[in-house]
Amino acid sequence: MIVASLRIAGDNRLPPSADLAMVRNQDRTVTLRVAGIPTGRTLAKLILTAKPSLDGSDATIAVQKVVTPLTNLATVGQITNAGSTGTGQATFTFVPADSAGWPDALVYQVWAVLDDGEPAPCLTGSLSSIAAIPLAAGPASDANLPPVSQGAIVLAFDPAFGAASQSHTARVGPAFQLGSTTSVDTNDPTLDSSVPPTRYVYGTDDYLTAGDVLDAAWTNAAGFSILAGFELVAGDVSGGFRAIVSKDSSAAARTFYVLIGVGKLQVALFDGTNAVTWDGSIVLGAGLHRLVLTYDPTQPLASRLTVRLDEAADTLSRNGATLGTIANTAADLTIGGRPNTSFGFLPSVRATGNVYVWSGVPLSAADALTVSQWLRDSRGWA
C-alpha cells in the first residue's frame, strides 16, 4: 500500500513521492491510502496521469486512470473508502492493454477532486516498466525418443514405430533391412509385438543390417553413446558369444562390437591398427535387459568406456595398450547377428529391440540412468 496525502490550497508542501514499477502487458494493482482529507469533505475522484516528461503535452500521456466510488474495480479501479473520517482508500487497476505501448520510464501524478470540486495533488513519482522477455521454449521434446540430448541422437531404432511391415525403419537415422535382402529369406528375424516390448526374435542366422552407416558417430572426437534393449535365453547365458550390435566384419573392416559371452558383456573397439577389448563382470540371467554404453575418447584409455546393465554400473577389465580414433570402415552396422566375421556367422542374442545412438555425447551417469529408466518405462524393457 502506498501512502498519499492531499495538499489543498494554501498548503505549500509538495505531495509525497513514491516510485512504481511494473511489467508491461501484465495485470497490476496499486492501492493508495489517502490522508489529509479536510473535515466534512470526501473524495469524488482520483486521477492518475503518466507521461514521459512533466512538460510533455497531453498528447504524450501514456495512461490516465480516473477512479470514483462507482468505477469498475477489476478494470479501472475504484475509491473504496471516500474518506469521511479524514483518510480514504483507493485502488488503481492496470490491465495488459494499459501498458502495451509504454516506454521504459514515465513520470506520474495523482490528483484528487473533492466532493465540492476542489482539486488537490496527493502523490507524485516515477513509473518504471519493462517488457517481459519470453523464455525460449527450445526444441519440442519428442516423447518417442530418450529424453536426453535428443538433438544428438543419430539413430533411433524402434520396432514399435510405424506399421508392422515397416517396423524395421528407424525412427531417426538410417533404415535397416531384414537379413541380407529386402525380401523374405532365411536371414530374417521375426517381429514379435504380442507383448511389450516389441522386439525382433532371431534364429541361428538372422540379423538386421543398415549397411555402412554412422561412421561420423564412431569417429566423433567427443565420443558416442549407445542405448539398447535385448533379451537373453538360457543358451545365451551359458553358450558362446552372442551379438547385440556391431559394425564389424572380417579382415580390416572392423569398427566395434557389443556381445554377450557366457552371460557377461564384451565390447571391442578398433582403430585400424589396434584393438581394445573391455570385459564386464556383471553376470546376466535370462530375460529382458537394458544396456547403456558410453565412450569418451577425451579420457585416459582405462576410463574411456563406461557401461550400465539394467542401471547397475559394470566393472570392466581391459585388454589392449593403445587405441586411436575409432576406425571408419566399410563394415555394415548390424543389430543382432554378425555376418561375415573372421569367425564366420556370429549368432544374435535371443531378441533385440530398441537401439539408440548419440553422436558426440558420452552420457553422464545421471543421464545414463534417465535413458535406461525411460527404456524400461516407455518401451517395456523391464
Side-chain angles (χ1 to χ4, degrees), residues 18 28 68 72 100 166 208 222 320 345 380 382:
R28 174 83 153 86
T68 73
N72 189 318
Q166 299 175 329
L208 293 158
F345 187 90

Side-chain angles (χ1 to χ4, degrees), residues 41-56:
R41 300 269 68 84
T42 58
L43 295 171
K45 65 177 66 173
L46 288 167
I47 305 167
L48 182 152
T49 304
K51 53 186 178 179
S53 64
L54 289 174
D55 57 357

Side-chain angles (χ1 to χ4, degrees), residues 215-288:
D215 287 288
W218 322 125
T219 60
N220 193 311
F224 61 86
S225 297
I226 299 174
L227 168 67
F230 62 95
E231 182 181 15
L232 301 178
V233 293
D236 299 326
V237 175
S238 60
F241 288 110
R242 302 287 190 268
I244 298 174
V245 60
S246 59
K247 193 174 189 292
D248 177 28
S249 65
S250 59
R254 312 196 72 179
T255 298
F256 77 93
Y257 64 67
V258 182
L259 314 174
I260 292 291
V262 196
K264 297 181 181 180
L265 183 78
Q266 183 178 96
V267 179
L269 299 171
F270 305 87
D271 66 7
T273 302
N274 304 299
V276 174
T277 303
W278 282 266
D279 291 297
S281 61
I282 293 177
V283 179
L284 296 171
L288 303 177

Side-chain angles (χ1 to χ4, degrees), residues 31-268:
T31 301
L32 274 61
R33 187 178 68 193
V34 185
I37 300 172
T39 302
R41 300 269 68 84
T42 58
L43 295 171
K45 65 177 66 173
L46 288 167
I47 305 167
L48 182 152
T49 304
K51 53 186 178 179
S53 64
L54 289 174
D55 57 357
S57 67
D58 287 350
T60 67
I61 292 174
V63 64
Q64 189 169 67
K65 289 279 182 176
V66 180
V67 298
T68 73
L70 300 178
T71 49
N72 189 318
L73 181 62
T75 59
V76 179
Q78 190 180 82
I79 295 173
T80 54
N81 179 350
S84 58
T85 60
T87 300
Q89 186 166 310
T91 296
F92 288 97
T93 302
F94 297 90
V95 296
D98 292 328
S99 59
W102 287 5
D104 292 345
L106 297 167
V107 293
Y108 78 93
Q109 293 180 353
V110 179
W111 282 67
V113 177
L114 301 176
D115 57 355
D116 63 356
E118 181 179 0
C122 62
L123 189 66
T124 186
S126 65
L127 196 164
S128 301
S129 65
I130 61 170
I133 300 175
L135 294 176
S141 179
D142 188 336
N144 290 310
L145 295 175
V148 172
S149 300
Q150 291 186 346
I153 295 174
V154 293
L155 174 66
F157 179 79
D158 187 346
F161 176 68
S165 62
Q166 299 175 329
S167 57
H168 54 285
T169 301
R171 179 84 170 79
V172 173
F176 283 70
Q177 93 178 25
L178 303 171
S180 59
T181 70
T182 55
S183 61
V184 175
D185 60 60
T186 59
N187 302 113
D188 289 351
T190 302
L191 181 67
D192 182 2
S193 55
S194 58
V195 294
T198 300
R199 73 203 89 168
Y200 277 100
V201 179
Y202 297 83
T204 57
D205 63 350
D206 295 344
Y207 63 99
L208 293 158
T209 178
D212 177 17
V213 296
L214 300 185
D215 287 288
W218 322 125
T219 60
N220 193 311
F224 61 86
S225 297
I226 299 174
L227 168 67
F230 62 95
E231 182 181 15
L232 301 178
V233 293
D236 299 326
V237 175
S238 60
F241 288 110
R242 302 287 190 268
I244 298 174
V245 60
S246 59
K247 193 174 189 292
D248 177 28
S249 65
S250 59
R254 312 196 72 179
T255 298
F256 77 93
Y257 64 67
V258 182
L259 314 174
I260 292 291
V262 196
K264 297 181 181 180
L265 183 78
Q266 183 178 96
V267 179

